[in-house]
Amino acid sequence: MTAAASTLALEIPWGVLLGAKVMIILTLLPLTALILGYVFLMKMMAHMQSRLGPMDPGGFHGWFQLIGDGIKFIQKEDVMPADADRRVFALAPMIILISTFVVYAVIPAGPRLVVEDLEVGIFFALAVSSLSVIGVLMAGWASSNKFALLGALRAAGQLIAYELPLVLAVVGVIMQAGTMSLQGIVGAQANGEIFGWGAVGNPFVLTQAVGFVLFLAAAQAELTQTPFDMPVAESELVAGYQVEYTGFRWLFFQMSEYATAFALAGIAATLFLGGWYVPGVEGTAADVLGPLVLFAKIMAISFVIFWVRFTYPRFREDQLQAMAWKYLIPLSLLNILVTGILKVVF
Amino acid sequence: MAVTEQQQQAFIGKHLAEAQVAVELQDEDMVLNIGPQHPATHGTLRVVVKLDGERVVAADPVIGYMHRGYEKLTEYRSYPQVTTLINRIDWLSSFANEVPFIHAGEQIMGIEAPPRAVYIRTVLTELSRIATFLLFLGEMGAQVGAITPVFYGFRDREYVLNLIEAATGGRFHPNFNRIGGLKDDVPAGWIAETRRMMDKVFESCDTFENLLEGNEIFLARTKGIGIIPGDVGKGYGVSGSNLRASGVDWDLRRDAPYLAYPEVDFKVWTHPGGDSWSRYWVRLQETREAARIVVDLLDRLPSGPVMAKVPRIIKVPPGESWVRVENPLGEMGYYVVSKGATGPFRVKIRSASFSNVSILPWLLKGVYVPDLITILASLYFILGDIDR
Amino acid sequence: MPDDDLTDAEEPAAAEEPAAADEPAAEEPAILPEHVGMLAKLQADLGDALVEAVSNHGDLVVRVRNDAWHAAALAARSRLDCEYLSFISGIDWTSRPDPPNWDPDAPSSPVQPKEVTYGAAGSDGRFQVFAVVESTDDKIQVILKTDVDEADPHVASWTDVYPGADWHERECWEMFGVRFDGHPSLRHIYLPGEFEGHPLRKDFPLLSREVKPWPGLVDVEAMPGGAGEEAGDETAEAVAEGGE
Amino acid sequence: MPLQIKTPGLIKGLGVTLRHLFKPAVTVQYPHEREDPPQRARGVIALKEENCTVCMLCARECPDWCIYIEGHKVKAPPRRAGGKPRTVSALDRFDIDYALCMYCGICVEVCPFDALFWTPEYEYSEPNIADLLHDKGKLGAWMETVPEPQPLEVGAEGPSKWR
């Protein structure tokens, strides 16, 4: 969805280009968070619970609610606990936001619509997305609050445990596509054939169904969404590592939560659902249509993520660890093994 | 900086001494105050837990943040005024709170309410049971992390509250019982409406069964968590569904009959498990059973007056009476001592939640923090019922 | 029959307290037939420590001597299979000094009679501790009472018989000042640690009812300028009747 | 605690929420649409001033003592022509402090002269707690909203005593 076409960018000075890219992501990130927050948190959850959600702000179904909330948060007093480690406390939300921010850079939204088409795109995306653990730990530690500390420790254990199945689930896709570049993976799916029939390509969800489910489960944990929301568990730890945050700092946490959901859904859409590719559409048309298609796929995956979130109860921390180490990781290793064998056979 | 040892010691010295909390701190332990302001304690219960990691080493519930001194207040009020007060003890099933007190008064006076009044009292008691349990069925979900069930719980409870309001004028505090009967009969069309709503209650129970009761994550979170053996429960005075979920077949509606229960054929649900899931399951079954009782009673509602002949100014003759009933939360009883005045001389309120929660120090040893929340939720207490 | 001892014990109590004649217990048969067996079992264990027993509105009320309070719990638990503790609480039988702003003649004011009377199974002092234990198997319950010395109120703790007695005894100690010997940690349960006094004792005032004037005391003002000049006495009385 | 993924319980739960997504919501959009409470709902107390005889019964029976009444005696014309003029009590002040009121309805019930009525109106919240003290003018204004007594259910005896 970004418009930094590398072919056109040759003439533009490096600094200006970088600034433009940063600005694009900076506008995109809150926008996606707003869209997810409004569509799923405000409206879908409300209707699933026999409610309407906000209806008044903005006139039409309360579309302005979240923007209004954001404005409110910015106005709020910046409250910091007396015993807080002030610098770390202030830095933590930034780090979490930055880790999300960088992921956006590698997701392709069209043949030329990508901020940075890295050769190791998927590796890079998964690596930087796990940076948020550091932010969470910093937030929990600096808050000088026992609930926050418990939440942060839970988050650290959980995010590390789920980083592994997340990466392992992707390995199957990488093996099948033969590249780590996200554009390459989209291309591999577009040109793929299902038993010799290549009209719609081969979205890897068909051949990597296990990997897809594993990826979604791990992403759910990575995003600390129910049933894996122990770090913030409001009925146990009140709000976990976020408990002492208010105003715009808290807004950063929320924004990064939804933006990360969007980013991970984007990666899932790219890896498993064919990304921006639309059969039969090439060139500039794909640059226009691609973002829309990708957006639709992201919304579909986000729907599943949030649907699960609004339905299920929460695991206990030890159950979560058991699930990661006893089920998801062996399963993903098996998936890699089978993919490898099939790759060799066919 | 996070909490240093010095700060922690200072904290213990300052706060724990004040509240006289019996938690001794050793090395590497952390004291965590769950409450008095905490979403899981639905009210102002404070549980001081000593943690080793996330494992609870010792727990000491601190109650009294909501103590309103009802036993003292009743001594300064007349009988009708007391009725107003006591339906604020367990505010979720306030109609059921009024019944035993009124019974105690009627017993000392030697008055019996007319059959129609007794039937309507029974129906309203069961309706408040449904209202309480529907909220529990959702609330329990919220405590183990599912956000949606609690909304269904609130939504479906509303159907029942509307019925109670249509009959009594108050959603939460009906104040409908009078010594000798009821304030008034139910309005026209109420019975038909109640029948209609009971169908919705059955539907709602199915929803909870599908959404939560059979959910594998829910099972993993509640099965085997917080097991109360029947004998221990009895020693602590745990009652109601909590005791029945421990396999003790004990229901005052059947075993010490009152109201119109002897005339109804109903099943007392028990579960041998004794864990949090059993408590959920038993309450789910009891909600259905209560709806069945309501329908059954409405079919056979006798006609006639709803008020016996009583003097205009009620003076209860000297005497004392102990009346206990099976409230939604468990055994609720009033020990009313009268000396012939317009108000009671002494009222001992035996509320279910007080005893149900008193088992917590025993029950919470060695559980994890998330299980603590599950256990608190599954015991289902109302703070007003603990503190009175 | 153990009943013989009981009737002996009961008579002096009834003789001492003339007010006891008003009590329903005096009108009913002293012990209901279904309670005779229960009482015999308790009597066997407690002997003459069992001071008095009556059936009160279908419940067996047993008063035991203060030093037999613990034995009573054991007897109820072992002999009657009463494993279930309903509650332990206390009562202060003295009359309350009514708030100064109360009108004792107003029909609705809950002013208590000033003479000290005692309830079912009697009492010989100001404080009493009473408890209800139930048997979930036999579906029976017993109300146990014991007198507590006013000057030094104390009684044995039940915590080793019924673990649930812990909180109830804390509450009773806090509210009435009755010490429970052998209780592991008798500390405040509802009220803050520094609270002084025992709120449910009758001499502890309920301030909310003392600081505000009794609404009945503010009466209708007389007519300005020669009230009752032409008004007939009947009408004035009618007003006064409505007013009081 | 073995965890089984993809078992009916989890799927059934998803089904419940998905079905609710397409069901109409039960929310009542309050300021735009309002729910009508039942006729018996104890919303606010209305005062019929001409019926009040300043007998103080309600004020005394109130568990909270939240009713404040003051009155004075006035002369009224005789009931029969040629009779003596009577002395009646005129109401100076009749305040109900809704910040204290427990909505028990005892005052309405004990009033021997039918001067107090319940009405289901509920829209009288105030940002300032002192404004919850309704004087007799405000209480009198509620009289318009007092509903007719409802008919009773089949099998009930006598007319409704509800007020």
Side-chain angles (χ1 to χ4, degrees):
Chain A
M1 280 187 293
T2 51
S6 48
T7 46
L8 300 173
L10 285 173
E11 313 301 328
I12 305 168
W14 178 83
V16 176
L17 186 65
L18 184 71
K21 286 174 174 177
V22 167
M23 284 315 292
I24 286 163
I25 305 179
L26 270 185
T27 45
L28 214 56
L29 194 136
L31 190 70
T32 54
L34 277 178
I35 291 171
L36 284 199
Y38 174 73
V39 173
F40 296 114
L41 184 76
M42 301 253 137
K43 286 296 154 184
M44 186 182 98
M45 175 162 93
H47 283 281
M48 278 185 169
Q49 295 167 347
S50 283
R51 301 184 290 123
L52 287 172
M55 293 295 280
D56 276 344
F60 178 75
H61 286 263
W63 65 271
F64 194 73
Q65 177 73 41
L66 274 178
I67 304 168
D69 278 349
I71 295 169
K72 182 193 75 177
F73 282 127
I74 291 166
Q75 294 171 3
K76 273 191 165 185
E77 188 191 348
D78 182 23
V79 183
M80 213 178 260
D83 293 338
D85 191 335
R86 302 183 75 87
R87 264 179 306 170
V88 180
F89 187 85
L91 208 57
M94 309 285 177
I95 290 189
I96 292 176
L97 201 62
I98 284 169
S99 85
T100 312
F101 174 83
V102 184
V103 177
Y104 272 72
V106 291
I107 300 173
R112 289 178 299 169
L113 288 182
V114 61
V115 174
E116 220 36 89
D117 182 21
L118 293 177
E119 271 306 305
V120 288
I122 178 62
F123 175 74
F124 174 80
L126 295 177
V128 294
S129 77
S130 60
L131 273 179
S132 64
V133 185
I134 296 167
V136 167
L137 262 177
M138 283 165 66
W141 177 255
S143 293
S144 169
N145 180 311
K146 291 171 186 174
F147 286 108
L149 187 61
L150 276 179
L153 289 176
R154 281 180 179 194
Q158 169 174 340
L159 296 185
I160 289 165
Y162 274 84
E163 201 60 40
L164 217 48
L166 192 73
V167 173
L168 291 178
V170 172
V171 170
V173 173
I174 298 173
M175 286 165 75
Q176 219 179 339
T179 170
M180 276 166 92
S181 152
L182 285 166
Q183 282 291 31
I185 290 171
V186 172
Q189 294 181 75
N191 302 323
E193 291 180 342
I194 307 165
F195 305 116
W197 181 65
V200 294
N202 175 15
F204 286 152
V205 66
L206 301 176
T207 46
Q208 288 288 330
V210 178
F212 182 58
V213 172
L214 287 173
F215 185 88
L216 281 189
Q220 197 88 0
E222 192 79 12
L223 293 168
T224 64
Q225 305 273 26
T226 330
F228 309 109
D229 65 339
M230 292 73 107
V232 289
E234 80 290 334
S235 63
E236 295 160 21
L237 300 182
V238 192
Y241 59 89
Q242 305 172 358
V243 71
E244 295 288 2
Y245 282 88
T246 56
F248 71 98
R249 294 187 206 280
W250 187 80
L251 182 68
F252 274 15
F253 279 118
Q254 291 303 301
M255 214 155 74
S256 74
E257 180 183 338
Y258 288 96
T260 315
F262 193 87
L264 279 181
I267 292 175
T270 309
L271 293 182
F272 296 99
L273 297 184
W276 50 264
Y277 175 69
V278 191
V281 181
E282 300 283 340
T284 316
D287 273 336
V288 177
L289 215 54
L292 297 176
V293 171
L294 183 68
F295 180 71
K297 288 173 180 173
I298 288 176
M299 289 306 266
I301 291 176
S302 304
F303 174 79
V304 176
I305 290 176
F306 285 96
W307 183 19
V308 166
R309 169 178 172 173
F310 299 141
T311 305
Y312 288 163
R314 157 189 330 123
F315 277 114
R316 212 170 50 210
E317 194 62 35
D318 59 322
Q319 290 167 342
L320 165 128
Q321 297 286 347
M323 186 165 146
W325 295 104
K326 287 188 191 159
Y327 297 90
L328 293 188
I329 292 174
L331 206 61
S332 49
L333 287 173
L334 198 70
N335 183 42
I336 294 170
L337 186 72
V338 172
T339 311
I341 292 169
L342 290 178
K343 177 108 179 165
V344 172
V345 171
F346 296 103
Chain B
M1 288 295 282
V3 187
T4 64
E5 199 180 2
Q6 266 183 333
Q7 282 168 334
Q8 201 172 27
Q9 288 300 335
F11 173 82
I12 295 156
K14 200 170 136 219
H15 295 278
L16 294 196
E18 268 173 25
Q20 298 194 337
V21 176
V23 173
E24 284 171 25
L25 207 68
Q26 279 156 13
D27 291 350
E28 297 182 13
D29 289 337
M30 176 167 95
V31 168
L32 187 69
N33 271 293
I34 310 239
Q37 293 178 338
H38 188 277
T41 56
H42 30 182
T44 49
L45 178 72
R46 172 172 163 216
V47 186
V48 182
V49 289
K50 189 165 82 161
L51 293 181
D52 175 16
E54 281 216 31
R55 189 183 283 273
V56 176
V57 182
D60 187 26
V62 180
I63 62 172
Y65 289 92
M66 222 189 160
H67 186 237
R68 295 157 289 178
Y70 275 167
E71 292 182 14
K72 187 76 176 174
L73 293 181
T74 53
E75 295 175 6
Y76 285 74
R77 278 170 171 76
S78 63
Y79 284 93
Q81 291 175 343
V82 171
T83 323
T84 293
L85 274 187
I86 56 175
N87 58 30
R88 281 154 173 84
I89 291 174
D90 164 14
W91 49 74
L92 290 186
S93 54
S94 34
F95 187 89
N97 286 331
E98 296 175 4
V99 171
F101 179 76
I102 293 294
H103 264 206
E106 285 174 355
Q107 209 168 60
I108 304 177
M109 289 180 84
I111 295 176
E112 267 194 32
R116 188 175 171 88
V118 170
Y119 266 69
I120 294 175
R121 271 183 194 174
T122 320
V123 168
L124 284 169
T125 305
E126 287 307 311
L127 284 181
S128 53
R129 189 185 309 277
I130 295 170
T132 311
F133 283 177
L134 281 180
L135 188 60
F136 164 78
L137 295 174
E139 170 84 29
M140 176 90 177
Q143 301 299 346
V144 296
I147 356 176
T148 302
V150 72
F151 288 95
Y152 297 162
F154 273 114
R155 178 195 65 189
D156 298 340
R157 184 181 72 141
E158 205 71 357
Y159 304 141
V160 181
L161 287 184
N162 284 341
L163 290 173
I164 294 177
E165 189 184 23
T168 69
R171 304 168 79 71
F172 277 78
H173 305 304
N175 198 20
F176 196 53
N177 278 297
R178 299 288 178 271
I179 287 184
L182 296 172
K183 185 178 173 184
D184 203 353
D185 212 302
V186 293
W190 190 80
I191 292 179
E193 181 70 6
T194 308
R195 283 220 184 83
R196 213 162 61 76
M197 286 309 163
M198 286 308 109
D199 291 340
K200 287 204 172 184
V201 170
F202 288 124
E203 220 175 90
S204 169
C205 289
D206 294 342
T207 306
F208 284 117
E209 210 162 48
N210 288 332
L211 184 62
L212 209 58
E213 190 245 8
N215 188 305
E216 278 75 10
I217 303 176
F218 184 73
L219 287 172
R221 281 298 305 279
T222 53
K223 277 256 182 191
I225 301 300
I227 296 177
I228 305 177
D231 292 342
V232 178
K234 279 193 264 182
Y236 275 98
V238 173
S239 55
S241 319
N242 292 330
L243 194 59
R244 283 192 287 279
S246 298
V248 180
D249 192 13
W250 173 246
D251 189 328
L252 291 171
R253 289 179 288 175
R254 182 197 63 198
D255 298 326
Y258 61 101
L259 291 179
Y261 289 114
E263 289 153 54
V264 199
D265 185 30
F266 64 98
K267 183 172 159 56
V268 176
W269 292 89
T270 58
H271 194 282
D275 55 8
S276 301
W277 186 82
S278 312
R279 295 193 271 276
Y280 190 86
W281 184 86
V282 164
R283 289 208 177 89
L284 185 61
Q285 306 308 325
E286 285 184 352
T287 314
R288 286 210 182 97
E289 199 65 47
R292 272 183 220 121
I293 294 175
V294 168
V295 173
D296 186 29
L297 283 172
L298 289 179
D299 287 341
R300 300 186 280 127
L301 191 68
S303 49
V306 290
M307 192 70 189
K309 292 238 174 304
V310 287
R312 202 174 59 82
I313 292 173
I314 285 168
K315 282 199 173 179
V316 175
E320 58 186 74
S321 172
W322 158 242
V323 174
R324 60 199 171 137
V325 298
E326 185 72 32
N327 255 25
L329 296 177
E331 179 186 323
M332 168 138 206
Y334 290 85
Y335 200 103
V336 178
V337 180
S338 177
K339 283 198 172 182
T342 51
F345 178 74
R346 161 107 173 92
V347 179
K348 161 67 195 172
I349 304 164
R350 191 269 187 225
S351 57
S353 299
F354 181 80
S355 296
N356 287 352
V357 170
S358 72
I359 199 173
L360 280 180
W362 183 88
L363 197 57
L364 291 183
K365 277 207 181 88
V367 303
Y368 290 107
V369 171
D371 295 341
L372 185 152
I373 308 300
T374 312
I375 291 168
L376 285 182
S378 70
L379 280 176
Y380 199 42
F381 49 84
I382 301 296
L383 252 293
D385 204 34
I386 298 175
D387 287 352
R388 302 193 294 279
Chain C
M1 281 296 283
D3 273 23
D4 299 341
D5 306 344
L6 292 166
T7 42
D8 288 352
E10 200 180 8
E11 268 163 12
E16 276 167 25
E17 263 100 67
D22 297 343
E23 286 171 17
E27 295 152 23
E28 291 172 16
I31 306 289
L32 292 175
E34 64 260 35
H35 291 157
V36 171
M38 289 160 63
L39 192 55
K41 286 181 187 166
L42 285 177
Q43 184 85 42
D45 265 24
L46 294 171
D48 63 349
L50 196 154
V51 182
E52 196 174 337
V54 288
S55 292
N56 178 43
H57 295 297
D59 301 325
L60 179 62
V61 185
V62 175
R63 179 154 73 103
V64 300
R65 267 206 329 254
N66 185 293
D67 54 1
W69 182 240
H70 191 260
L74 286 174
R77 194 186 164 101
S78 56
R79 298 285 166 157
L80 297 181
D81 202 22
C82 286
E83 289 183 316
Y84 181 92
L85 174 77
S86 190
F87 71 85
I88 301 173
S89 189
I91 185 165
D92 178 357
W93 286 107
T94 50
S95 68
R96 168 188 70 204
D98 280 312
N101 52 354
W102 279 27
D103 180 5
D105 302 323
S108 60
S109 77
V111 172
Q112 298 289 342
K114 288 289 164 278
E115 72 272 22
V116 177
T117 52
Y118 299 111
S123 168
D124 57 5
R126 179 179 172 188
F127 293 115
Q128 235 178 5
V129 167
F130 63 107
V132 175
V133 289
E134 301 171 17
S135 165
T136 53
D137 297 332
D138 303 339
K139 328 279 184 214
I140 52 170
Q141 61 172 343
V142 185
I143 301 171
L144 293 165
K145 289 185 171 186
T146 187
D147 301 328
V148 176
D149 184 33
E150 185 179 343
D152 177 26
H154 71 101
V155 74
S157 169
W158 277 11
T159 38
D160 53 337
V161 189
Y162 298 103
D166 183 350
W167 283 26
H168 290 287
E169 288 177 355
R170 276 169 68 188
E171 185 190 352
C172 187
W173 168 79
E174 177 173 66
M175 292 297 169
F176 291 96
V178 178
R179 271 186 299 109
F180 287 86
D181 304 331
H183 189 284
S185 65
L186 214 52
R187 55 202 159 95
H188 281 285
I189 184 160
Y190 291 132
L191 304 170
E194 62 271 20
F195 191 89
E196 282 173 23
H198 302 289
L200 277 183
R201 288 188 175 184
K202 289 287 178 185
D203 48 13
F204 191 96
L206 182 65
L207 284 178
S208 68
R209 289 271 138 153
E210 304 211 347
V211 293
K212 210 171 176 181
W214 170 252
L217 288 182
V218 187
D219 214 336
V220 181
E221 280 174 30
M223 198 159 42
E229 198 177 279
E230 276 177 63
D233 280 337
E234 319 138 41
T235 45
E237 257 169 40
V239 170
E241 233 168 66
E244 284 297 315
Chain D
M1 285 134 271
L3 303 163
Q4 299 133 12
I5 307 305
K6 279 182 234 147
T7 30
L10 293 172
I11 305 298
K12 262 198 261 176
L14 287 175
V16 171
T17 40
L18 191 66
R19 245 175 288 135
H20 274 89
L21 187 58
F22 301 107
K23 275 187 191 168
V26 294
T27 317
V28 176
Q29 288 297 96
Y30 167 59
H32 309 303
E33 43 184 298
R34 39 174 296 174
E35 213 173 3
D36 278 329
Q39 271 188 35
R40 284 184 175 185
R42 297 199 292 264
V44 66
I45 295 165
L47 170 73
K48 199 171 185 181
E49 205 186 323
E50 59 266 34
N51 280 4
C52 180
T53 63
V54 204
C55 69
M56 301 269 177
L57 215 56
C58 49
R60 284 177 193 171
E61 290 291 330
C62 175
D64 288 345
W65 296 354
C66 71
I67 305 179
Y68 305 93
I69 304 178
E70 281 168 21
H72 67 274
K73 288 169 188 170
V74 290
K75 272 182 230 166
R79 226 177 244 125
R80 283 165 282 116
K84 274 182 167 180
R86 300 169 299 138
T87 307
V88 293
S89 298
L91 192 61
D92 292 332
R93 178 184 180 209
F94 192 106
D95 293 353
I96 296 181
D97 187 354
Y98 281 108
L100 271 182
C101 179
M102 298 211 297
Y103 296 85
C104 63
I106 289 179
C107 52
V108 179
E109 230 170 302
V110 297
C111 180
F113 304 107
D114 286 4
L116 292 172
F117 298 88
W118 276 115
T119 120
E121 286 300 312
Y122 52 87
E123 289 168 314
Y124 56 95
S125 62
E126 298 282 354
N128 183 359
I129 198 164
D131 295 339
L132 280 172
L133 189 83
H134 285 202
D135 59 8
K136 62 179 179 177
K138 221 166 172 183
L139 292 171
W142 291 119
M143 270 311 288
E144 304 167 12
T145 59
V146 175
E148 288 295 303
Q150 267 174 304
L152 293 180
E153 188 58 89
V154 188
E157 204 169 77
S160 174
K161 298 180 287 292
W162 201 277
R163 269 217 320 274

